[in-house]
Amino acid sequence: MTRSPVSVVFNGISYAFGSHQVLNHIDLSVEPGSIVALLGPSGCGKSTLLKLLAGLLQPQQGTLHFGDRLIASDQFSTPPEQRDLGMVFQDYALWPHMSVAQNVAFPLLMRRVPTQERQQRVITALDRVGLADFAGRRPSDLSGGQQQRVALARAIIAEPKILLFDEPLSNLDRDLRESLCVEMASLLRQLGTTAVYVTHDRHEAEILADRIVWLSVGTVSAIQTVTPLSGEPV
Ligand SMILES: Nc1ncnc2c1ncn2[C@@H]1O[C@H](COP(=O)(O)OP(=O)(O)OP(=O)(O)O)[C@@H](O)[C@H]1O
Ligand SMILES: [Mg+2]
């Protein structure tokens, strides 16, 4: 990746859905180019935290910075498309009527990247996720693991400064989850992008992350530093 990675800093961020306080004064820093895994029980606010990062929700208290740039506060929120990030969800979120290549090319189309460059970058991105031969297929003609690779290629193609993952492997069976997790860890380290990775699976977090952050009932409860295992067999 050619662009320099940025830090992500949550400072005193709170969020409630009505009277239900989900996040309570969250302070969290993600170093530039590092991978933080966010772990915690169902309903503790992991996806809410990612949505605040992505710009799908606005903090009710506190500030969010990417590097020196103020991204959101209770006063304003930078729109998602101006945050320079890529996202991968649990359910792949691919467009069924588009081919693999069209799905992957979409972020570049939005940025008006010329056709020839777009095609070249699609080939590179698909190659990176091991799907070079699948460009013409529809998502429905792929396995779950292959669909998630397409979503990953789409997330990285525009070389975003930050990558967000919300339980991307939890729909896959155990063996596939493990092998794709190791591949993703290696890809993320090659790219050097700052990443926040939500999971229920501690083993996955240990494979992928530099740091594990535990969230419990809306408060960051523990931070564990993990030795990276990039590329090593597990
Ligand atoms: N749009 C919404 N309106 C009201 N409450 C919501 C909304 N979205 C989430 N919540 C509630 O906020 C809390 C946190 O939800 P969130 O989706 O962040 O949890 P999570 O940690 O991602 O859980 P899981 O591991 O099950 O995905 C939950 O109690 C949830 O019911
Ligand atoms: Mg969730």
Side-chain angles (χ1 to χ4, degrees):
M1 182 143 311
T2 49
R3 306 164 69 195
S4 51
V6 291
S7 61
V8 171
V9 181
F10 283 81
N11 214 321
I13 286 201
S14 297
Y15 193 85
F17 291 104
S19 61
H20 180 194
Q21 191 71 39
V22 176
L23 298 175
N24 205 3
H25 286 280
I26 300 286
D27 292 318
L28 175 64
S29 294
V30 184
E31 295 296 311
S34 73
I35 305 167
V36 161
L38 206 55
L39 276 173
S42 185
C44 73
K46 303 181 297 298
S47 295
T48 303
L49 196 79
L50 273 199
K51 285 177 188 163
L52 286 160
L53 254 173
L56 305 174
L57 296 174
Q58 181 178 350
Q60 292 153 351
Q61 264 182 44
T63 56
L64 171 64
H65 283 82
F66 293 171
D68 294 337
R69 182 179 166 208
L70 177 64
I71 293 294
S73 69
D74 62 337
Q75 301 294 316
F76 103 116
S77 182
T78 305
E81 65 276 11
Q82 289 171 24
R83 293 189 179 204
D84 200 3
L85 39 82
M87 280 198 82
V88 181
F89 303 95
Q90 181 174 356
D91 62 358
Y92 322 133
L94 301 174
W95 291 288
H97 61 289
M98 291 185 189
S99 69
V100 164
Q102 287 168 331
N103 266 282
V104 173
F106 194 76
L108 299 185
L109 201 64
M110 292 294 93
R111 288 167 172 79
R112 298 193 165 79
V113 173
T115 309
Q116 205 178 352
E117 181 186 341
R118 215 165 58 223
Q119 287 169 346
Q120 197 53 51
R121 286 171 68 176
V122 167
I123 292 168
T124 306
L126 285 177
D127 202 34
R128 277 202 149 122
V129 299
L131 286 182
D133 297 332
F134 293 75
R137 290 225 200 152
R138 296 277 156 143
S140 56
D141 300 332
L142 299 175
S143 69
Q146 289 166 339
Q147 289 184 54
Q148 200 52 302
R149 286 167 195 267
V150 176
L152 182 59
R154 184 180 59 187
I156 63 174
I157 194 165
E159 299 186 354
K161 289 201 162 172
I162 299 163
L163 283 167
L164 306 179
F165 298 85
D166 198 350
E167 306 204 38
L169 304 178
S170 58
N171 279 350
L172 306 175
D173 68 43
R174 202 171 172 282
D175 288 348
L176 184 58
R177 216 158 60 210
E178 173 120 4
S179 61
L180 198 47
C181 185
V182 172
E183 274 185 50
M184 279 183 28
S186 148
L187 180 63
L188 286 178
R189 296 203 189 284
Q190 277 173 38
L191 296 174
T193 313
T194 309
V196 179
Y197 188 100
V198 167
T199 178
H200 272 112
D201 185 331
R202 184 178 173 150
H203 182 53
E204 228 176 75
E206 284 170 348
I207 292 172
L208 264 150
D210 302 301
R211 211 153 57 100
I212 296 177
V213 171
W214 297 85
L215 197 64
S216 69
V217 275
T219 310
V220 175
S221 60
I223 293 183
Q224 178 189 356
T225 301
V226 170
T227 310
L229 295 172
S230 65
E232 289 175 21
V234 288

